[in-house]
Amino acid sequence: MKIATQELISKISFEANQARKAILHMTSLAGSGHPGGSMSSIDLLLSLYNIIHHDPANPIMADRDRVVVSNGHISPAVYSALGIMGYFNLDDAISQFRMFGSIFEGHIEREVPGVEWSSGNLGQGLSAGVGMALASRINNIPYNVYVFLGDGEQQKGQLSEARRFAAKYNLTNLTAIVDYNQLQISGSIHDVMPQNIRKNWESDGWQVIEVTGHDIYLILSAYESAHGFEHPTMILAHTVMGKGVDFMENKAKFHGSTLNEEQLEQALKQLGGVSELKKYRKLRSDYKPGSHQTKDFSLAPDFTCGKAVLYESDTDCRSAWGTAIADLARINTNAKTPLVVVDCDLAVSVKTDGFAATTPDSFFECGIMEQHAAVMSGALSTCGIQTFWSEFGVFGMAEVYNMQRLNDINHTNLKTVVTHVGIDVGADGKTHQSVDYISLARNLFGFRVICPADANQTDRVIRWLANKPGNYLVTMGRSKLPIIRTLDGSPRYAQDYCFEYGKADILRDGNHGSLWVCGTPVSKALKAVDSLRDEGIFIELVYVSAPLHLDAKLLKSQAAKGPIFSVEDHSIHGGLGSIIADGLAENQICTRLIKMGVKNYPVSGESNELYKWAGIDSLSIIKTIKHNL
Ligand SMILES: Cc1ncc(C[n+]2csc(CCOP(=O)(O)OP(=O)(O)O)c2C)c(N)n1
């Protein structure tokens, strides 16, 4: 780190003045945005970018220090600082701010060179920074991570989850900077929601330094001293909202209000400048969308997949998942890509305890902090680490829906493996019976969902998945399931079976109609179809392991045979049945669709009782099919 010389201080002061003018221009030009917090945090941001290890000409340099801005609404400050540092042409950011087609969106996006994490959903950035700081240790690449946060943002509970994790794993390469301007949208942070920010961080095990956030010398000194402690450090920077323009200072209104032309001129005069709106308006009208380069967010693991395990007797898919991931860890100790598993106090139930015993250094225990775990895991997966997070269905998706959404926006490579999905969970009751995992994931444009049919398919899916980039949700129930067999009695997903994403499997042939099934009810469906076969009713049984990617051709050929029945241990709203309905309508395929699945919040009971309750046990399936043929 460079020492706070007078020359450096003058340089930063000059740049901060330039940035303030840019912030005001871009927000006034766009007619929206957040100038107040941008002006309060700009001295902190520019001071940091002037001393950290980074290279604007190589924004993805492996050992660069990372800056995560959790309060993504201060995008005008971030774009100004990065533009001044040379990541891109500052005039582009000013003129294209919040414009259709531009990368300079209202809240910061990873597409912008120098931006490490897309943010705007307050409270999540510290978890992302924790993931990056942990990744430095896992990858054995030394660098520091800095996370900017607002003071109103301190009200978010996820921050304490992230703080505790950072303290537990002693992430001393992590520094948080809180822009303590004491204002938020609705006024004073002390009125909106009183709290003792300093004590909260200290009680979670962090070192806290307080500093005046507009004194460049003191800011630089704080950054220098932040790494001298045995704990992660938070810098509580006392700042002034709207700093630099007298009529904006300490006014909550300017959190999210922009200046009109007259106010802009007055403000620029105070900053020693003049309005350049005319120039930027011209640049804005000349801008053609789509001229930016796209970043490569991918992950390219090269794991040895090992020998498939063949299960011959009833087995729960979660045990097959646990065995496969432990096996992958065992045989890949020298792989170039690290393989990690994240847990939230459920390892014994989700069966990752074997992995933890095999490679304890690659297993990270978050406790009951799912929101932090989801984001931290997502961030790890952006740092060249194949990251599996295993959870109960209800906590791995519904509990953290917005975190998974932000992961997806961030182009993460996260593998979320959820067990205990559906009413198959049984006696735990409705709070634990996740019946919306497909419908939630379906909204996330980058997610793929895999629902293995039995232990054998689970084993192949996990080994296949180890080498895949992108976001996947793998789902499984709690119960032991029969092994799926062909009519001659051999395992359908035998040792030589290779998983193919999006390929549905025909488990039984038939020409009176088809039954489409996804997830745990497959053995019930199989039993129903085999019983009907004995009665001379031939129903084709289609197993859908990738419900979000239906094969339209298959749908068409099946529809020609007769009605389509769907069965799932999931809400009939938004799951397999709904996806089939969309597929039929969108492809102009005309047939009847009869959906079987969960139609209300479930109740406690044995899973067999609950399947009967929902009408997805074998007898109910037979009855429904006969009734509708
Ligand atoms: C999870 C979440 N809830 C609400 C918002 C809407 N919002 C944006 S900024 C803001 C106030 C933030 O206050 P502070 O952190 O003090 O930032 P400053 O006003 O200093 O810029 C709110 C409530 C959000 N972006 N994310």
Side-chain angles (χ1 to χ4, degrees), residues 19-31 35 39 94 245 247-248 254 258-278 280-281:
R20 285 194 163 85
K21 288 186 266 192
I23 290 165
L24 294 177
H25 270 114
M26 75 175 83
T27 49
S28 287
L29 189 69
M39 308 262 280
I94 297 175
V245 174
F247 61 87
M248 294 179 79
F254 288 108
T258 60
L259 305 184
N260 62 30
E261 270 189 52
E262 197 184 312
Q263 290 171 317
L264 179 67
E265 269 179 36
Q266 274 179 44
L268 291 169
K269 207 168 161 193
Q270 290 182 30
L271 295 168
V274 288
S275 171
E276 293 182 78
L277 267 188
K278 212 169 153 195
Y280 291 122
R281 278 207 181 108

Side-chain angles (χ1 to χ4, degrees), residues 131 134-136 138-139 299 303 337-340 377-388 413-415:
L134 186 62
S136 154
I138 296 168
N139 287 323
L299 179 78
F303 292 116
T337 306
L339 176 68
V340 311
S377 303
L380 279 173
S381 78
T382 63
C383 298
I385 297 168
Q386 186 61 290
T387 310
F388 284 81
N413 297 295
L414 180 58
K415 312 296 174 295

Side-chain angles (χ1 to χ4, degrees), residues 37 73 120-122 150-153 156 181 183-185 241 255:
H73 62 274
N121 308 86
L122 295 171
D151 53 0
E153 185 181 9
K156 288 295 292 183
N181 60 28
L183 291 174
Q184 60 187 109
I185 296 179
M241 180 169 281
H255 160 91

Side-chain angles (χ1 to χ4, degrees), residues 110-160:
R110 255 184 104 195
E111 276 74 6
V112 175
V115 172
E116 300 284 358
W117 190 254
S118 306
S119 64
N121 308 86
L122 295 171
Q124 300 192 32
L126 187 62
S127 299
V130 166
M132 293 175 199
L134 186 62
S136 154
R137 187 179 298 171
I138 296 168
N139 287 323
N140 200 16
I141 305 174
Y143 57 78
N144 292 314
V145 180
Y146 300 87
V147 180
F148 277 82
L149 302 134
D151 53 0
E153 185 181 9
Q154 301 305 303
Q155 291 149 16
K156 288 295 292 183
Q158 188 182 335
L159 287 177
S160 59

Side-chain angles (χ1 to χ4, degrees), residues 315-523:
T315 309
D316 48 328
C317 293
R318 59 196 169 119
S319 287
W321 136 245
T323 301
I325 196 72
D327 190 35
L328 284 166
R330 204 173 303 115
I331 61 181
N332 283 291
T333 42
N334 294 321
K336 68 174 173 30
T337 306
L339 176 68
V340 311
V341 167
V342 175
D343 179 49
C344 288
D345 197 25
L346 288 172
V348 174
S349 302
V350 301
K351 306 289 183 189
T352 50
D353 48 345
F355 178 96
T358 307
T359 43
D361 292 345
S362 303
F363 178 82
F364 296 98
E365 179 53 72
C366 287
I368 312 156
M369 308 201 301
E370 292 83 7
Q371 296 179 335
H372 166 70
V375 178
M376 181 193 75
S377 303
L380 279 173
S381 78
T382 63
C383 298
I385 297 168
Q386 186 61 290
T387 310
F388 284 81
W389 174 40
S390 195
E391 256 299 341
F392 283 179
V394 75
F395 306 126
M397 190 46 77
E399 181 87 13
V400 295
Y401 177 68
N402 195 36
M403 288 75 208
Q404 294 284 31
R405 178 175 169 273
L406 196 61
N407 276 340
D408 207 29
I409 287 171
N410 271 293
H411 307 275
T412 57
N413 297 295
L414 180 58
K415 312 296 174 295
T416 306
V417 179
V418 292
T419 69
H420 295 66
V421 302
I423 54 176
D424 172 69
V425 167
D428 278 344
K430 55 175 77 56
T431 60
H432 278 55
Q433 292 154 340
S434 160
V435 292
D436 51 7
Y437 49 97
I438 295 174
S439 45
L440 290 173
R442 199 179 167 198
N443 297 321
L444 306 177
F445 297 107
F447 260 67
R448 290 170 167 217
V449 175
I450 305 176
C451 312
D454 68 0
N456 286 321
Q457 197 181 32
T458 304
D459 179 78
R460 307 312 175 273
V461 164
I462 298 302
R463 291 171 197 278
W464 172 89
L465 193 55
N467 281 324
K468 294 290 164 222
N471 293 316
Y472 284 82
L473 177 74
V474 184
T475 75
M476 52 198 77
R478 176 180 183 276
S479 307
K480 286 190 175 175
L481 297 180
I483 298 304
I484 305 299
R485 296 182 183 278
T486 57
L487 270 178
D488 71 8
S490 49
R492 173 64 177 76
Y493 301 105
Q495 222 145 4
D496 57 353
Y497 161 77
C498 290
F499 176 72
E500 214 179 300
Y501 181 84
K503 185 176 176 297
D505 300 317
I506 307 298
L507 301 185
R508 293 290 185 269
D509 291 329
N511 51 13
H512 293 147
S514 59
L515 174 61
W516 294 56
V517 58
C518 175
T520 314
V522 57
S523 58

Side-chain angles (χ1 to χ4, degrees), residues 64-224:
R64 70 193 183 279
D65 290 335
R66 271 75 168 165
V67 179
V68 173
V69 179
S70 184
N71 46 345
H73 62 274
I74 62 160
S75 51
V78 178
Y79 299 151
S80 300
L82 292 173
I84 288 168
M85 287 294 118
Y87 279 89
F88 43 77
N89 183 343
L90 178 58
D91 277 353
D92 286 349
I94 297 175
S95 57
Q96 295 166 25
F97 182 52
R98 289 179 165 243
M99 231 187 133
F100 173 74
S102 162
I103 53 171
F104 300 107
E105 290 198 22
H107 293 76
I108 57 169
E109 299 295 326
R110 255 184 104 195
E111 276 74 6
V112 175
V115 172
E116 300 284 358
W117 190 254
S118 306
S119 64
N121 308 86
L122 295 171
Q124 300 192 32
L126 187 62
S127 299
V130 166
M132 293 175 199
L134 186 62
S136 154
R137 187 179 298 171
I138 296 168
N139 287 323
N140 200 16
I141 305 174
Y143 57 78
N144 292 314
V145 180
Y146 300 87
V147 180
F148 277 82
L149 302 134
D151 53 0
E153 185 181 9
Q154 301 305 303
Q155 291 149 16
K156 288 295 292 183
Q158 188 182 335
L159 287 177
S160 59
E161 298 184 358
R163 284 197 295 263
R164 286 194 287 266
F165 186 94
K168 173 184 170 187
Y169 285 94
N170 206 20
L171 299 176
T172 52
N173 59 341
L174 179 64
T175 304
I177 301 117
V178 175
D179 177 19
Y180 191 58
N181 60 28
Q182 302 188 56
L183 291 174
Q184 60 187 109
I185 296 179
S186 308
S188 161
I189 59 165
H190 309 293
D191 295 336
V192 174
M193 187 49 62
Q195 61 173 329
N196 190 325
I197 294 175
R198 180 177 183 132
K199 280 197 178 146
N200 287 344
W201 286 73
E202 284 174 340
S203 72
D204 283 330
W206 283 58
Q207 185 72 37
V208 175
I209 304 174
E210 293 202 40
V211 71
T212 306
H214 300 300
D215 183 318
I216 308 291
Y217 173 79
L218 294 179
I219 296 171
L220 292 173
S221 309
Y223 286 147
E224 272 198 276

